[in-house]
Amino acid sequence: MNQKLKLETLAVQAGYTPENGGPRVAPIAQSTTYKYDDAQSVADLFDLKRPGFFYTRLANPTVDCFEKKIAALEGGVAAVATSSGQNANTLAIMNIARSGDHIVAISSLYGGTVSLFSNTLKKMGVEFTFVLPDAPIGELEAAIRPNTKAIFAEVLANPALIVLDIEKMAQAAHRHGLPLIVDNTFPTPFLCRPFEFGADIVTHSTTKYIDGHATSVGGIVVEKGGFDWSNGRFPEFINPDESYHGLVYTKNFPEAPYSVKLRVQWIRDIGTPMMPFNAFLSMIGVETLHVRMERHCQNALALAEFLESHPKVAWVNYPGLKSSPQHALAQKYMPRGASGVLCFGVKGGKAAGEKVMNSLKIAAIVVHVADIRTGVLHPASMTHRQLSEQELIAAGVSSDLIRVSVGIEHIDDLKADFDQALRQA
Ligand code: PLP
């Protein structure tokens, strides 16, 4: 589909074009396999000589529609959907780093990603250096080594809500021949399209705003295209892949070598594709992304302003607030709104905050974010529980921090709910 179309049109229409008389909505291809009339057709598919489907672990028609829709929304050349956001970030790294390699990452990442990097991928031999997201660029560049393979960051950090200076970070990465990989889960392509600012790979937990209704766990990795994988740092892209009959990714698939490699090596071998039913639900979800995100942003700003003026509230962090030190960066990278998540602390600290959380009637305590229903969470004892004291500080998670995922209910009801809960603290 023409990528020059507006994002709202792409959200609704991209990814699936019905044939004459075909179903209007992309159908669920709930089938593991596909039937062919002759053996050569299947051999050609295995050899990647022509596109098509042969086994759902590698590709599936419903998942394919979802991948094309998200690639169009982000403005990338290709996308690979995965079983979860965790898996998207795992494969985004493993696709370019092997044992003995190194990655520079910002420290204010989602707790699950910090744990993945500093424990599990470390055990597999990949080393990570964490730098503060607002560290001077010189400090970031000083962390780059000859064996560094990428810089990894979140566009809007969960839950510290620090806005990434994507342009600055991309320039630093490119000076060293490295791709910038960004997790764009919180902004979504409706609020920010990181490729336009120089990022090379975008990941998502599609579990969040893309699905939007808390129905489906999923992830996706999107490739911008055009990165020079033959610059000397990435031999696996230019040398024959013996596990795939000597395929050379940059030569055989010059348009999207990173995505093809991720699919035919990692999804094939590790076996973590998105399932067709989840792709179907996520696709229905993302078709209203633009409508939902507008309301999430409006409600979050209004609730942040309300909390900021509330006598029981100690502090509020929302990059859309004029008082936020993040405001200028948020205006630059997310001019349509600063997403639907805010954080605050209650006077009286953690205990008072717990009382407020327990007293809320509309907002529910949930280990989730980006749902149409408002939810609250205490990261230090929940999502970031596995982090050390030091990692919590680096991630911007104070012990009194309450994260609110502001839904799309009526704002008056949300304000009234938080007001009655705060009065009980
Ligand atoms: N990235 C971010 C920014 C997240 O917030 C999360 C989950 O909260 C993930 C990745 C992991 O995604 P999933 O829960 O779909 O595995």
Side-chain angles (χ1 to χ4, degrees), residues 45-46 48 54 57-58 80 95 241 243-244 247 249 253 257-270:
L45 285 168
F46 267 100
L48 306 178
F54 52 102
R57 170 151 47 80
L58 276 131
V80 181
N95 201 31
D241 178 357
S243 83
Y244 224 112
L247 190 73
Y249 293 103
F253 295 95
Y258 178 92
S259 307
V260 173
K261 182 172 180 294
L262 198 148
R263 185 186 303 282
V264 307
Q265 272 186 351
W266 288 95
I267 296 282
R268 177 195 65 175
D269 291 351
I270 303 288

Side-chain angles (χ1 to χ4, degrees), residues 141-422:
E141 291 193 63
I144 296 171
R145 306 174 188 172
N147 61 341
T148 303
K149 299 295 173 180
I151 297 182
F152 185 98
E154 271 172 32
V155 176
L156 180 58
N158 172 15
L161 305 180
I162 297 169
V163 183
L164 187 75
D165 195 335
I166 308 172
E167 258 175 4
K168 243 169 104 180
M169 209 160 266
Q171 283 162 9
H174 295 161
R175 272 197 290 277
H176 297 266
L178 300 173
L180 174 65
I181 306 176
V182 293
D183 181 329
N184 196 30
T185 297
F186 271 23
T188 81
F190 178 68
L191 300 177
C192 178
R193 302 207 326 159
F195 293 152
E196 290 171 2
F197 299 102
D200 303 285
I201 307 293
V202 160
T203 65
H204 282 279
S205 164
T206 60
T207 319
K208 307 296 165 357
Y209 287 115
I210 295 229
D211 166 70
H213 299 76
T215 68
S216 312
V217 172
I220 201 157
V221 183
V222 193
E223 176 177 10
K224 178 188 184 184
F227 184 81
D228 180 13
W229 299 105
S230 62
N231 67 12
R233 279 199 189 252
F234 306 95
E236 279 196 35
F237 283 78
I238 54 167
N239 294 331
D241 178 357
E242 295 314 333
S243 83
Y244 224 112
H245 342 291
L247 190 73
V248 178
Y249 293 103
T250 44
K251 187 167 142 240
N252 295 90
F253 295 95
E255 240 204 46
Y258 178 92
S259 307
V260 173
K261 182 172 180 294
L262 198 148
R263 185 186 303 282
V264 307
Q265 272 186 351
W266 288 95
I267 296 282
R268 177 195 65 175
D269 291 351
I270 303 288
T272 50
M274 179 176 278
M275 288 295 126
F277 189 55
N278 275 16
F280 175 78
L281 290 174
S282 306
M283 197 144 44
I284 289 181
V286 78
E287 284 166 3
T288 57
L289 181 73
H290 47 299
V291 182
R292 287 185 286 109
M293 288 315 289
E294 272 180 4
R295 181 61 68 88
H296 279 297
C297 291
Q298 275 169 21
N299 277 0
L301 180 59
L303 189 64
E305 286 169 346
F306 171 77
L307 291 173
E308 204 176 31
S309 64
H310 200 286
K312 292 275 182 81
V313 170
W315 58 269
V316 180
N317 176 14
Y318 179 66
L321 280 174
K322 289 212 174 71
S323 59
S324 166
Q326 300 288 307
H327 188 67
L329 270 186
Q331 291 285 90
K332 172 171 176 180
Y333 289 111
M334 298 181 288
R336 299 214 252 195
S339 197
V341 184
L342 66 86
C343 295
F344 75 106
V346 180
K347 285 180 184 161
K350 188 178 166 212
E354 212 168 287
K355 186 101 201 290
V356 171
M357 285 176 67
N358 293 344
S359 307
L360 287 163
K361 293 190 166 68
I362 295 174
I365 298 173
V366 285
V367 182
H368 191 53
V369 70
D371 184 7
I372 51 167
R373 290 150 281 241
T374 298
V376 293
L377 172 134
H378 180 240
S381 65
M382 299 174 186
T383 48
H384 288 61
R385 193 177 180 80
Q386 270 91 29
L387 269 58
S388 65
E389 267 312 303
Q390 243 178 350
E391 284 174 329
L392 282 175
I393 293 167
V397 179
S398 56
S399 65
D400 66 338
L401 186 153
I402 296 173
R403 187 187 74 185
V404 187
S405 171
V406 187
I408 61 171
E409 302 94 341
H410 198 288
I411 186 61
D412 292 350
D413 294 332
L414 294 180
K415 283 187 198 166
D417 193 28
F418 277 84
D419 188 41
Q420 65 79 25
L422 282 161

Side-chain angles (χ1 to χ4, degrees), residues 91-119:
L91 299 192
I93 297 291
M94 296 313 285
N95 201 31
I96 47 176
R98 56 162 68 188
S99 178
D101 287 340
H102 172 254
I103 303 285
V104 175
I106 61 157
S107 59
S108 57
L109 300 172
Y110 161 63
T113 312
V114 175
S115 176
L116 166 72
F117 289 178
S118 50
N119 300 309

